[in-house]
Amino acid sequence: MSKPAPAKPKLTLGRKKNPSEQGKKSQISYTNTVKPRGKSNRPQHSKPKEAGPTQVYVFNKPYMVLTQFTDADNRETLKDYIKVPDIYAAGRLDRDSEGLLLLTNNGRLQAKLTQPGEKTEKTYWVQVEGEPSPEKLSDLRYGIVLKDGPTLPAKVEIMTEPAVWPRVPPIRERQNIPTTWLAITIVEGRNRQVRRMTAHIGHPTLRLIRYRIGPWTLDNIQPGELVESSINMMN
């Protein structure tokens, strides 16, 4: 069977904003600067207090940053980038994954975005080792059986390499083995699910970037940048 033609991603990441654009948008952003670490003065709970109007922030989580505000081993966490008080992550993103993380002060919205029954779509841009056959991609679309049970059908398409920031350190590539970029959309949120799905079909994930959650995307948001969103699904 012939290999399906690569689908072109509709949107491009990694474009730097010029000063005129910054002035047109009302957003809060924090540049990726190194800050001294120490004990955080944030409360230890992870659920929003729901005080005041709903706030939603989009954060582009860099590689090897924990999706929590404290860490006993002094690893890099959200507190190294985010100084807005009383907002908490709606869901998690693995330390070795990159991309979109939503934070809010609204507990109901946090639950809506993370509860499996809500079936909120999440799209990942995934660089895998090798070139998956049409049959293996069909397996992902139909649903496969992992150790914790069968997955729901996923949307899977081959895509051209997205224009994103370079990963530091870069992925390990083998000269004699090509890589393929896939756009994978799921409605579940199991532990390391996408990585386990691609491993199951024999194509380990080399790099994983979460691009979209529901109506939110990473467009024009740099790694380590926090942007306040005007989208409120609780209306």
Side-chain angles (χ1 to χ4, degrees), residues 3-41:
K3 182 178 179 179
K8 296 182 178 180
K10 297 180 180 179
L11 300 165
T12 300
L13 298 182
R15 181 178 64 85
K16 294 184 178 179
K17 308 182 188 70
N18 59 47
S20 62
E21 289 177 311
Q22 291 283 11
K24 292 178 182 178
K25 297 183 180 180
S26 61
Q27 61 185 29
I28 299 175
S29 63
Y30 296 86
T31 56
N32 184 359
T33 57
V34 177
K35 301 176 179 65
R37 299 182 192 170
K39 291 185 178 180
S40 173
N41 57 5

Side-chain angles (χ1 to χ4, degrees), residues 37 42 59-82 89 91-99 101 103 192 210:
R37 299 182 192 170
R42 292 178 62 98
F59 179 60
N60 188 344
K61 188 191 84 67
Y63 180 65
M64 298 306 281
V65 173
L66 290 167
T67 55
Q68 57 197 48
F69 285 93
T70 60
D71 180 58
D73 297 323
N74 203 35
R75 293 171 294 182
E76 205 168 26
T77 68
L78 298 179
K79 72 177 175 60
D80 293 289
Y81 298 88
I82 298 173
R92 299 185 64 82
L93 189 59
D94 295 329
R95 184 172 177 242
D96 55 351
S97 298
E98 308 160 71
L101 185 69
L103 299 100
R192 301 180 73 80
R210 185 159 63 194

Side-chain angles (χ1 to χ4, degrees), residues 54-141:
T54 296
Q55 294 177 297
V56 181
Y57 289 84
V58 179
F59 179 60
N60 188 344
K61 188 191 84 67
Y63 180 65
M64 298 306 281
V65 173
L66 290 167
T67 55
Q68 57 197 48
F69 285 93
T70 60
D71 180 58
D73 297 323
N74 203 35
R75 293 171 294 182
E76 205 168 26
T77 68
L78 298 179
K79 72 177 175 60
D80 293 289
Y81 298 88
I82 298 173
K83 305 306 175 185
V84 178
D86 299 324
I87 58 172
Y88 298 88
R92 299 185 64 82
L93 189 59
D94 295 329
R95 184 172 177 242
D96 55 351
S97 298
E98 308 160 71
L100 180 58
L101 185 69
L102 294 177
L103 299 100
T104 182
N105 65 340
N106 189 305
R108 290 181 300 146
L109 177 58
Q110 187 187 49
K112 183 178 180 68
L113 292 170
T114 57
Q115 290 177 352
E118 297 291 343
K119 294 187 177 180
T120 302
E121 284 194 341
K122 296 172 282 291
T123 298
Y124 298 83
W125 289 349
V126 189
Q127 186 179 16
V128 300
E129 188 174 82
E131 298 178 335
S133 66
E135 292 77 15
K136 289 184 177 181
L137 296 181
S138 294
D139 289 342
L140 296 181
R141 295 184 185 115

